[in-house]
């Protein structure tokens, strides 16, 4: 399998603009899974950048999440499904009751197909799967306040606590090179060399210069791994704010969903991604880059919530690399958006021209804000640990 450097994806229609034909197809697919038929309702769900997602209501009123996996991003969907099933088996006999809501911590479970009891099916060469819908929850694209920040941190902490002892050799590497920043940088450099920059707009030129100045940063985590300071563990891969589901009544985090990117990796990728996503109150889709900043007042409760659960099994080296991870993952996501913009928007779904450039700028502004507060972030980790 080739390395993961955000290869071109033949992007299906973005959720929300699904033509009736796509909805009808999804309806038929949903009926092939073992749920009470006929399907009552099907609606596009969320705003994922890669897969297509629908909420399905079965005849008995139960709800499910139907997804078509993007095979350009996930070329071996069977391995993605195997990882999710492996994870499910690992946590199955460890029910966790949450303190505030009294609910159980939940993990989306895969529903088998009616005919062959398989956990996914292929239709016209594309993979589909159905999983349980976690009820009575709310989700936000940005962190609302300090208590939400703490819950987001706790959600990742709980997730890591549940999976950190799952041996990595039991998980497939479904996206080789995912979050390995030097690979994204190399792919960007190759692209930049091929295309020339004479026609670039001012923002694009600013982004190019921004990347050039930070080449040294790219290998920070990978070097630590090569030196044996950091080790591979199971990770979530995409613990952003809107993958954390909160109990509708108490606000307590009850699930961390979107398990496609569960695979071996560095926990620092997850921690960095969670903080870069959660501590930017303007959000990933901010249209005014000047509004973007890294908010330390959100970082404190988020990291505290995380460490409350994860501290016991983290090493000193693990903690040491948290500040650089926040900076690195924000930079990396900016680089991925910028590369995709230069390549013609073939990986991340775009909703308007220049969308990926705007997203890149947001992450680069966030990186600058993280850089300006590096010492405070370092002290925060030290205090909390
Ligand atoms: C993508 O598709 P979605 O929204 O779950 C991407 C993540 C990025 C995220 C940014 C497989 O996730 O890595 O952090 O967009 N997933 C993949 O919003 O590339
Ligand atoms: Mg995702």
């Amino acid at each position: 399998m080739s390395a993961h450097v955000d290869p071109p994806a033949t992007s299906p229609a973005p959720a929300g603009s699904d033509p009736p034909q796509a909805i009808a197809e999804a309806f038929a697919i949903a009926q092939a899974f073992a749920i009470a038929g006929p399907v009552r309702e099907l609606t596009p769900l969320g705003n994922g950048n890669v897969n297509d997602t629908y909420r399905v209501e079965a005849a008995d009123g139960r709800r499910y999440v139907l997804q078509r996996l993007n095979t350009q991003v996930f070329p071996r969907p069977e391995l993605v499904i195997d990882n999710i099933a492996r994870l499910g088996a690992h946590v199955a006999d460890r029910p966790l009751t949450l303190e505030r809501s009294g609910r159980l911590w939940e993990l989306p479970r895969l529903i088998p197909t009616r005919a062959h009891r398989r956990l996914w099916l292929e239709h016209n060469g594309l993979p589909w799967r159905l999983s349980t819908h976690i009820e009575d929850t709310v989700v936000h694209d940005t962190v609302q306040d300090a208590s939400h920040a703490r819950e987001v941190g706790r959600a990742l902490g709980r997730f890591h606590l549940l999976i950190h002892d799952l041996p990595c050799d039991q998980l497939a590497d479904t996206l080789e090179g995912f979050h390995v920043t030097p690979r994204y940088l190399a792919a960007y450099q190759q692209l930049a060399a091929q295309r020339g920059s004479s026609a670039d707009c001012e923002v694009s030129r600013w982004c190019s210069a921004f990347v050039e100045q930070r080449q040294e940063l790219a290998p920070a985590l990978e070097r630590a791994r090569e030196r044996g300071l950091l080790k591979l563990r199971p990770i979530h891969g995409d613990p952003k704010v809107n993958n954390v589901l909160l109990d509708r009544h108490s606000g307590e985090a009850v699930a961390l969903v979107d398990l496609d990117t569960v695979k071996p990796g560095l926990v620092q990728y997850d921690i960095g991604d969670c903080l870069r996503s959660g501590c930017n109150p303007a959000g990933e889709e901010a249209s005014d880059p000047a509004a973007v900043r890294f908010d330390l007042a959100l970082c404190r409760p988020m990291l505290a919530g995380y460490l409350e659960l994860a501290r016991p099994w983290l090493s000193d080296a693990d903690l040491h690399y948290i500040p650089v991870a926040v900076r690195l993952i924000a930079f990396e996501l900016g680089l991925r958006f910028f590369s995709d913009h230069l390549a013609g928007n073939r990986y991340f779904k775009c909703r308007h021209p220049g969308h990926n450039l705007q997203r890149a700028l947001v992450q680069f502004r966030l990186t600058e804000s993280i850089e300006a507060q590096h010492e405070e972030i370092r002290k925060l980790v030290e205090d909390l640990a």
Side-chain angles (χ1 to χ4, degrees):
M1 190 173 52
S2 63
H4 184 85
V5 285
D6 290 354
T10 40
S11 220
S17 66
D18 299 61
Q21 194 191 339
I23 297 275
E25 184 187 41
F27 240 99
I29 304 276
Q31 318 259 25
F33 288 90
I35 58 174
V39 167
R40 236 189 236 168
E41 208 182 303
L42 183 137
T43 39
L45 179 70
N47 42 11
N49 293 329
V50 168
N51 296 326
D52 287 339
T53 309
Y54 302 90
R55 181 162 40 214
V56 171
E57 191 178 317
D60 58 1
R62 282 195 201 182
R63 301 197 292 175
Y64 301 89
V65 177
L66 178 68
Q67 277 191 309
R68 177 171 61 186
L69 291 181
N70 186 325
T71 45
Q72 300 293 320
V73 175
F74 301 106
R76 305 235 4 229
E78 72 282 8
L79 297 183
V80 174
I81 300 289
D82 285 352
N83 278 0
I84 297 176
R86 186 69 204 82
L87 189 72
H90 183 72
V91 304
D93 54 355
R94 306 188 194 182
L96 255 175
T97 306
L98 303 171
E99 298 113 47
R100 275 164 62 199
S101 59
R103 287 177 69 155
L104 286 176
W105 172 260
E106 292 196 52
L107 200 68
R109 274 177 298 105
L110 294 168
I111 307 294
T113 57
R114 220 179 269 282
H116 306 289
R117 311 295 296 174
R118 291 186 60 205
L119 295 176
W120 63 290
L121 66 79
E122 196 173 302
H123 176 71
N124 290 341
L126 294 172
W128 293 79
R129 55 116 193 276
L130 190 75
S131 44
T132 49
H133 181 267
I134 298 173
E135 295 297 341
D136 282 320
T137 56
V138 287
V139 64
H140 302 282
D141 284 329
T142 52
V143 164
Q144 308 293 296
D145 52 30
S147 120
H148 183 196
R150 180 166 174 271
E151 287 304 321
V152 169
R154 283 172 60 89
L156 182 63
R158 203 172 295 284
F159 190 85
H160 280 173
L161 185 67
L162 280 168
I163 66 166
H164 82 277
D165 57 346
L166 171 62
C168 271
D169 60 7
Q170 296 187 17
L171 291 175
D173 191 351
T174 46
L175 285 162
E176 201 202 327
F178 186 59
H179 284 317
V180 177
T181 320
R183 297 210 192 181
Y184 295 107
L185 182 64
Y188 161 80
Q189 283 166 335
Q190 201 182 351
L191 184 67
Q194 276 163 6
R195 57 182 293 286
S197 58
S198 52
D200 285 351
C201 66
E202 199 183 318
V203 176
S204 205
R205 285 202 299 272
W206 185 89
C207 288
S208 300
F210 190 89
V211 174
E212 290 303 311
Q213 288 154 11
R214 281 161 187 79
Q215 294 185 43
E216 308 286 289
L217 170 66
L221 290 180
E222 286 308 305
R223 270 204 199 125
R225 187 179 62 79
E226 282 156 16
R227 289 171 57 203
L229 297 170
L230 303 179
K231 57 174 187 176
L232 291 179
R233 293 194 178 100
I235 61 160
H236 179 278
D238 191 12
K240 55 182 180 179
V241 174
N242 58 11
N243 280 334
V244 176
L245 306 190
L246 309 166
D247 174 58
R248 182 180 294 287
H249 309 288
S250 63
E252 187 171 35
V254 296
L256 177 57
V257 298
D258 187 7
L259 305 177
D260 295 327
T261 43
V262 166
K263 67 190 260 327
L266 298 177
V267 289
Q268 284 74 15
Y269 299 155
D270 271 357
I271 303 168
D273 205 27
C274 185
L275 293 172
R276 71 107 203 126
S277 158
C279 304
N280 163 18
E284 241 174 82
E285 297 291 332
S287 52
D288 175 13
V292 176
R293 74 199 155 86
F294 185 83
D295 190 342
L296 267 184
L298 294 176
C299 183
R300 176 175 277 277
M302 198 174 297
L303 205 50
Y306 176 75
L307 291 174
E308 208 180 292
L309 291 143
R311 179 66 188 95
W313 52 270
L314 290 176
S315 68
D316 288 348
D318 283 330
L319 294 166
H320 175 80
Y321 280 93
I322 292 176
V324 72
V326 195
R327 179 180 175 217
L328 184 66
I329 298 293
F331 171 69
E332 177 194 280
L333 185 58
L335 179 62
R336 294 173 63 198
F337 283 138
F338 184 45
S339 300
D340 199 33
H341 165 75
L342 298 179
N345 308 312
R346 295 146 85 186
Y347 184 95
F348 296 104
K349 291 182 190 176
C350 280
R351 290 163 185 93
H352 57 81
H355 195 173
N356 275 325
L357 183 60
Q358 173 198 312
R359 288 163 165 163
L361 192 56
V362 167
Q363 294 305 315
F364 289 156
R365 289 290 186 203
L366 185 64
T367 308
E368 282 184 324
S369 176
I370 294 166
E371 287 169 353
Q373 301 177 85
H374 179 82
E375 194 43 31
E376 287 85 344
I377 300 172
R378 198 194 57 76
K379 281 212 193 83
L380 189 59
V381 175
E382 204 176 80
D383 278 6
L384 293 171

